[in-house]
Amino acid sequence: MKCILLTGSALLLDLLLLALPAVMAIGGVEDQFLSERRSEEFSFTWNKNITLHGTIWLPSDGASQGSITALVHGDGPTGRINGDGYNPLINALLDRGIAVAYWDKPGVGESGGSWLDQSMSDRADETRSAIRELRERFEDFAIGAIGFSQAGWVLPRLSIEDGIDYLVLVGPAVNWQDQSDYFGTIRMEAEGKSPGEIEEALIQDRANDDVIFNAPTFPSNLGDLTEGRWGFIKRNRHEDSTIFIANLTIPTLAVWGEDDLNVDAMNDVEIYRQFLTVRPRQVVLIPEATHSLLKSTYNYQTFDQWPLEIQEEWYVEGRSAYAEGAIDLMTDWVLQDHKKSKAKSAKGKKSEVKQSKKKKSAKGKKSEIKQSKKKKK
């Protein structure tokens, strides 16, 4: 599963650079560049001997709000700027005084290892290692993570003990098989298949997957499916984050676009509302928004489905391509004093317990008085 902004288009970039003087006046295109931003390189070691490399972008001098957020990738071989797809979001965060850390996945860019060798638990350990490095560099900062899509199986595995103060989950999936069925259903609906045909196809797909991914070794007749990707799916296809959601101890904002074509937003919102009990929390469904929280005019399952005119529109719009309120929702959450909010929530719970004990005590005393009166009679 992928966020829909996974790769850039070199041809599109060349065409728009030619037209740059004309579009700069609109302003949004400036969001596609980070070259003028303050930055520093960072690296950390994961799994004992694998070194991952990334970049920390910093707000302008004097603009820092004392917060840094790590961006956690969705699916695929994505690097630290993800084909430039997240540059508008990074610029929006920087303009609110929030520093941003982003790194190359294992085996991508300058990072060692291979992301295809990872389980979701491995990805969570990788994120913990990144947070530890950031905590050493930014000791007094609030440190959190914004994760996309597949990160819904990664970030809920973290805990407050990992030194992380908040989470933002964008379009998180909950159950791997359910997400796969939903993605396939949307695709087949677009192809004009009937509900009966879709259900039959899904049943056959599940049966085929059981044969393919339960095989002890890589089958040789799988077309474009590489051995690495086969191993990755085999390792992770039974993922379900419900138990991790229920046990989360980190203040969490979980947000979906109502028109998500990649995950079943309506279903997953209800799961989060039922099982996410940590306080503070927010579970939000944004109307007229996509899997990546863009406006619904950009609603495609993958980037390679975007017509050229839609790519051009997104490039020129910059952060304005996001659905109304989406970026403010995320940045406002990041800038909350979650430690204070969590303390207030804990204090409230203690107060509730105290009041409950008082009521029980008072009820017990009333019962004793009543029994005493009966004895006197």
Side-chain angles (χ1 to χ4, degrees), residues 7-17 303 311:
T7 56
S9 167
L11 174 60
L12 171 64
L13 182 58
D14 289 342
L15 290 172
L16 287 168
L17 286 175
F303 181 81
Q311 296 181 43

Side-chain angles (χ1 to χ4, degrees), residues 205-222:
D205 285 346
R206 292 185 208 115
N208 291 341
D209 285 351
D210 284 341
V211 172
I212 292 167
F213 297 109
N214 287 335
T217 57
F218 177 60
S220 58
N221 57 341
L222 298 181

Side-chain angles (χ1 to χ4, degrees), residues 16 52 55 58 86-87 125 193 195 210 243 301 339 346-347 366:
L16 287 168
L52 306 183
T55 300
L58 300 162
Y86 292 128
N87 285 9
D125 286 340
K193 292 185 178 179
D210 284 341
I243 188 66
Q301 285 189 312
K339 290 178 180 177
K347 189 175 179 182
K366 283 181 182 178

Side-chain angles (χ1 to χ4, degrees), residues 121-343:
S121 181
D122 291 333
R123 292 204 60 199
D125 286 340
E126 172 195 317
T127 305
R128 288 187 188 97
S129 298
I131 296 299
R132 280 196 293 272
E133 174 64 25
L134 295 176
R135 182 58 71 190
E136 287 184 12
R137 288 171 174 251
F138 300 91
E139 186 177 351
D140 299 324
F141 273 42
I143 298 178
I146 299 176
F148 307 90
S149 196
Q150 191 183 91
W153 293 307
V154 178
L155 294 183
R157 283 176 151 87
L158 306 183
S159 75
I160 204 77
E161 284 74 27
D162 292 316
I164 189 164
D165 299 309
Y166 62 84
L167 296 177
V168 178
L169 295 166
V170 178
V174 174
N175 180 279
W176 184 289
Q177 186 61 61
D178 288 348
Q179 186 276 325
S180 179
D181 287 350
Y182 180 81
F183 190 93
T185 296
I186 296 297
R187 175 179 52 79
M188 287 186 279
E189 285 177 348
E191 293 169 354
K193 292 185 178 179
S194 69
E197 289 173 322
I198 292 171
E199 182 56 33
E200 187 177 337
L202 291 176
I203 291 170
Q204 187 60 55
D205 285 346
R206 292 185 208 115
N208 291 341
D209 285 351
D210 284 341
V211 172
I212 292 167
F213 297 109
N214 287 335
T217 57
F218 177 60
S220 58
N221 57 341
L222 298 181
D224 293 335
L225 186 66
T226 66
E227 185 171 1
R229 185 65 177 176
W230 171 82
F232 182 81
I233 296 171
K234 180 181 174 69
R235 193 176 303 115
N236 293 297
R237 63 188 290 257
H238 297 296
E239 279 294 328
D240 188 301
S241 59
T242 306
I243 188 66
F244 301 109
I245 296 165
N247 291 327
L248 257 174
T249 57
I250 306 166
T252 298
L253 164 65
V255 55
W256 294 259
E258 191 175 53
D259 298 331
D260 197 319
L261 299 178
N262 294 51
V263 305
D264 189 347
M266 302 296 184
N267 179 70
D268 292 351
V269 161
E270 291 308 314
I271 292 172
Y272 268 79
R273 284 177 177 161
Q274 180 180 353
F275 291 100
L276 183 65
T277 59
V278 67
R279 295 291 186 272
R281 67 155 200 182
Q282 276 188 269
V283 180
V284 181
L285 189 64
I286 296 182
E288 299 180 2
T290 72
H291 183 52
S292 297
L293 303 186
L294 299 179
K295 293 183 292 193
S296 288
T297 50
Y298 301 100
N299 211 12
Y300 299 84
Q301 285 189 312
T302 59
F303 181 81
D304 56 17
Q305 295 173 343
W306 285 29
L308 183 59
E309 61 270 19
I310 292 294
Q311 296 181 43
E312 292 171 345
E313 185 178 344
W314 169 79
Y315 195 90
V316 170
E317 279 207 290
R319 74 188 70 178
S320 297
Y322 280 85
E324 184 178 355
I327 288 180
D328 285 342
L329 176 69
M330 289 188 281
T331 53
D332 288 348
W333 180 260
V334 168
L335 293 175
Q336 278 190 35
D337 188 343
H338 293 292
K339 290 178 180 177
K340 187 180 290 184
S341 299
K342 194 166 179 63

